[in-house]
Every structure is written in C-alpha cells, then in structure tokens.
Amino acid sequence: MTPASSPSPHGQSPLRTVQVLGGGNAASSAHVRSLAAGLVARGVRVTVCAPVEADHTYGFTEVGAELVPVPRSSDPCSVAALREACTHADLVHAHGLHASFRTVLALSGRRTPLVVTWHDRAHAEGARAQFLRLLERRVVKAATVVLGTTSALVDRARRTGARDARLAAVALPGPRPAPVADDPDPMRSKVRAELGAIGRPLLIAVGSLEPHRGYDTLLDAAHAWRGLDPVPLVVIAGEGPQRPVLQRRIEQEELAVRLIGRRDDATDLIAAADLALLTSRWEARSVVAQEALHARVPLVATRVGGIPELVGDAAELVPYGHARALADAVTRLLQDPERRAELAEKGARQAATWPTEDETVAQVLSIYDELTLHRPFV
C-alpha cells in the first residue's frame, strides 16, 4: 500500500482529488469519510469540501484528508470557495444534487474530470420539482461519469442525458456487529428501558419528519393495531416540519407513538428494536434498511425505489401509503416469532452480498484511474 506522501507508480505525482459535499446527509457524509480513508491509504491526496460541522461529525481530517470549509449551498460564497479548492485537482467527485450543481458552476471553463454520485433522489412538489429537474439535467450533462446507488437512479441519470452512468458500489461503513447468544447486549436493554419499551414490542423508524417519509400512514397503522396486547410502542427518530401535525395526531388519538427528535445513535436504536419500519414514498440505498439487516432486525418497508433491489426477500414489503397492509404485516410478524427469526437469518445473508468498503474504494479508484490516465508526468 502506497503511503499518502509517496509518489505514485510510473513517475507520476499522487493523484489529487476533491470530494464535495453540500449539507451532507448521513449516508453521503459517511460514504465520503469511508472513501477518503480508503483513498488516502492507497496514496491518493484527498481534499474534502464541506461545512465545518460535517468534519466535526464525520472526521474527514481524522483519516488523513484535508478539509476546505465550504458554506452550505444557500451561501453565495460557496461556488467561489469551491473553485479555489478545485484549482489543482486532477479530478473532482461531488455527492448529491446541490453539491454537484455548485461544483459544475465552480468548474466552468476547466477540463477537470467530474464524477457525480447520486445517493438519493431530491423530494419536491410543483414548481420546485421542475427546478430540481433542471438542475439534474445541467449536472448530468456536465459530469464525466454519474454514479447511482441504485439501478433506478442510474436509469434516471441516463434518461436525463448522462453520457456515462454506472451503478455505484456503496458500502455501509462499519456495521455494528450483532450480539451472539452467549454474549447478551447490554446496550439493547438500556435503549429499550430509556424508550419505555419494557415488556412490549418496540418498533423503530428513523428519518426526517417530512411528508415523503409516510409517517401519516404509520400513524394510521398504529391506530389499527391498538387492540394488540401489549400494544407495540412506535418510536420515530428524526426532526422536521411535520412534527406539530404528527404530535397533534398522536395526542388526539392516544397513539403509542413517540417522537424523540434527531438522534446520533440510530444504529443502537435499530439494534434494540423488535421490528424496523420504513414507510417512505421513495428510497434509494436506505441506510435504515441496511442497518436493520446488518443487526438481524426484521424489516417492514415500502416496495419503492431501490428497496426491493437492496433487500431481496429478506424483508416484508408493502405498498406505499397502504395503512392496512402495513398494519397487517406488522401484526403478523409480532405474532410469528419463527417468521421473525427467518427474516433475521435472511437479512444477515443478504447483507453479506452488499459491497464492502474495500470494494467501494476499489471501484471508485478504478474510475479515477480511467479518467486521469493521461495525466502529465512529474
């Protein structure tokens, strides 16, 4: 393995790359940290352009990357800061639509290769949805390569005009190992006690409180299973504009649902659950689904986007917005421990088929090498 400070083979200087994040959701930020660590270990110079708080959370500099603080997309200084940071880059890799669009503007007039990774699809309605489609078209036509984390995203990029769109190998960094039978997990009991799920099933959902998450359907389902004994406790970890509406319904209908806000221990929450729930209108390579299968926690999810491709037959899939189907699936699983055990085993096997961090870095590095093959020698 070539040290980061050593020249690359064939007399060339180390490859200089810039990774660009916008606000940086959890999935893309964790991916960039994993990618930065792997690239630095292979002798690549990595600069991460991201808000300072993202480095505090994900530690890009801890793995040997240089951080260039770049304001969030709403700041007019962000494009100028990006242009300066990319001045001497051999290749730039942007993550997410808004970061990619700002990078396209920053690289205007330059011939620097641009790789774009779409981790998810932007959610919007009406005029804003049309605006986002225009951004997508501008980005994919400017990008040298577009990587999509699901086949649906790759197809979308091709339909939008991408010259070269490929399926990305994206790993879930550092899954928490599931406890073995003779080594009880004290964290699980601690989390359940904190949430008030002693002696009753615990159902966990994680994600921002926004309309596309489908939490209104989840509350409808919680109303339907109120007759179960004991009544399951639903815990939703996340924050967003729908909190007042959801909280009002929970109180008015006396639902066994708790909104606990944004948490940084989502992995522990999911691992402590009897079931994980994913009720979104659209998902790409869902971190929640991956965490659940890695932790051997049965998953009930909507049959949308990249979910079927990701989980295979290792989860119960239901139509989006169908409260009765969701309630029935959850009720059946809670009453059938053998089926839950079967899903736990299938989940572990499915998770073993997903790309590793090393495979993810290897794929990205091969694309970088392909696009910078004729770099000038030292």
Side-chain angles (χ1 to χ4, degrees):
M1 197 172 287
T2 309
S5 58
S6 300
S8 295
H10 315 303
Q12 287 185 297
S13 60
L15 187 68
R16 297 163 298 182
T17 70
V18 174
Q19 306 287 324
V20 183
L21 277 169
N25 64 29
S28 57
S29 298
H31 174 63
V32 169
R33 185 193 195 276
S34 172
L35 201 55
L39 292 172
V40 168
R42 289 161 175 78
V44 177
R45 290 177 56 184
V46 178
T47 297
V48 175
C49 293
V52 173
E53 57 268 28
D55 186 49
H56 294 162
T57 303
Y58 294 96
F60 308 120
T61 53
E62 293 173 7
V63 297
E66 176 189 359
L67 177 75
V68 173
V70 173
R72 294 183 181 274
S73 56
S74 58
D75 191 310
C77 299
S78 60
V79 172
L82 272 178
R83 188 168 179 81
E84 175 64 24
C86 296
T87 298
H88 300 295
D90 295 307
L91 179 143
V92 179
H93 190 162
H95 301 262
L97 178 58
H98 293 288
S100 300
F101 180 68
R102 289 184 295 134
T103 305
V104 168
L105 297 179
L107 293 178
S108 178
R110 296 179 179 175
R111 301 183 66 182
T112 310
L114 172 62
V115 177
V116 167
T117 295
W118 280 1
H119 295 267
D120 205 342
R121 194 181 76 188
H123 300 277
E125 304 290 343
R128 178 162 174 76
Q130 176 63 22
F131 172 68
L132 292 177
R133 283 193 290 272
L134 292 174
L135 293 191
E136 286 182 350
R137 191 171 299 115
R138 176 75 182 274
V139 166
V140 300
K141 289 185 174 181
T144 316
V145 174
V146 178
L147 298 175
T149 59
T150 69
S151 297
L153 287 173
V154 174
D155 291 342
R156 184 181 180 90
R158 287 172 178 158
R159 290 195 306 270
T160 308
R163 291 173 286 169
D164 186 344
R166 312 180 192 183
L167 185 64
V170 177
L172 179 68
R176 180 173 178 265
V180 294
D182 58 351
D183 183 21
D185 187 358
M187 179 59 72
R188 186 174 192 272
S189 299
K190 179 181 176 182
V191 169
R192 292 178 69 94
E194 176 208 334
L195 297 175
I198 301 300
R200 65 193 305 190
L202 174 62
L203 316 182
I204 290 287
V206 180
S208 57
L209 306 184
E210 299 185 47
H212 72 271
R213 295 293 183 185
Y215 291 141
D216 52 344
T217 303
L218 177 52
L219 296 193
D220 290 342
H223 188 96
W225 64 54
R226 288 192 307 173
L228 295 179
D229 184 20
V231 179
L233 174 63
V234 178
V235 172
I236 303 175
E239 199 52 82
Q242 276 209 308
R243 173 182 273 275
V245 176
L246 297 173
Q247 189 63 52
R248 191 177 309 119
R249 274 199 63 188
I250 290 167
E251 294 170 1
Q252 289 176 348
E253 300 175 32
E254 299 182 344
L255 301 176
V257 179
R258 288 188 59 195
L259 307 179
I260 61 172
R262 188 177 290 108
R263 299 279 292 242
D264 58 7
D265 60 345
T267 301
D268 291 329
L269 295 176
I270 292 169
D274 295 289
L275 299 178
L277 306 179
L278 189 62
T279 56
S280 306
R281 181 169 65 226
W282 202 90
E283 289 281 348
R285 196 174 180 84
S286 166
V287 172
V288 173
Q290 293 178 77
E291 292 277 14
L293 269 59
H294 270 301
R296 304 169 72 93
V297 173
L299 172 70
V300 180
T302 42
R303 189 182 290 107
V304 298
I307 294 299
E309 178 181 18
L310 179 67
V311 303
D313 65 350
E316 292 281 353
L317 300 183
V318 299
Y320 167 73
H322 199 309
R324 173 51 61 186
L326 175 61
D328 288 348
V330 167
T331 300
R332 283 197 308 271
L333 281 177
L334 291 178
Q335 295 172 347
D336 189 348
E338 290 185 2
R339 175 60 176 161
R340 295 200 304 274
E342 178 188 7
L343 284 178
E345 290 300 321
K346 284 185 173 181
R349 290 198 296 269
Q350 181 71 9
T353 69
W354 296 335
T356 64
E357 289 185 84
D358 279 346
E359 289 167 344
T360 298
V361 174
Q363 184 208 31
V364 168
L365 191 55
S366 71
I367 293 171
Y368 290 1
D369 286 344
E370 173 188 335
L371 300 183
T372 59
L373 184 62
H374 302 295
R375 282 193 302 140
F377 285 86
V378 179

